[in-house]
Amino acid sequence: MFYTYVLYSSSKDKFYVGASESPRERLKKHNAKSKGFTNQTNDWTIVFLREFETKSEDLTFEKQIKSWKSKIKIQKLINSAGSKHPDA
């Protein structure tokens, strides 16, 4: 299975959107202060997770979310899935 996920950092008040076959393992890497956007902090948590049968579907959905460039639209997606980020 493939997963599109949204992470939230309370210290940065930012979302991060990604795709992975192992989102929990990927979260560990995001919090390990490696290179990239997520290295700025280590308090990322998964606030949204959607499963897909194909990698193509997964990457299409990830790109759709990233194209929004809107914190409000991402929050609505999270809320519609029954999840909430800590400040919602």
Side-chain angles (χ1 to χ4, degrees):
M1 299 308 288
F2 301 89
Y3 301 87
T4 295
Y5 59 88
V6 177
L7 304 180
Y8 178 74
S9 165
S10 58
S11 65
K12 289 290 195 185
D13 191 29
K14 299 268 185 199
F15 290 108
Y16 175 86
V17 179
S20 174
E21 290 182 65
S22 304
R24 306 257 186 257
E25 287 301 313
R26 191 71 184 102
L27 175 62
K28 290 178 187 176
K29 291 180 182 179
H30 285 300
N31 281 322
K33 296 232 178 194
S34 59
K35 292 181 182 180
F37 174 78
T38 59
N39 76 344
Q40 300 168 359
T41 185
N42 64 351
D43 68 339
W44 295 101
T45 59
I46 296 174
V47 293
F48 176 84
L49 191 63
R50 182 168 292 171
E51 183 178 75
F52 294 92
E53 290 187 22
T54 69
K55 188 172 187 174
S56 175
E57 291 172 310
D58 183 24
L59 295 177
T60 298
F61 189 63
E62 177 196 21
K63 285 179 186 178
Q64 178 185 356
I65 296 171
K66 287 182 174 182
S67 75
W68 295 342
K69 299 186 187 305
S70 168
K71 197 173 191 178
I72 293 168
K73 283 184 91 171
I74 292 172
Q75 185 61 59
K76 285 181 181 179
L77 173 70
I78 294 165
N79 291 345
S80 73
S83 302
K84 292 192 185 260
H85 88 65
D87 296 332

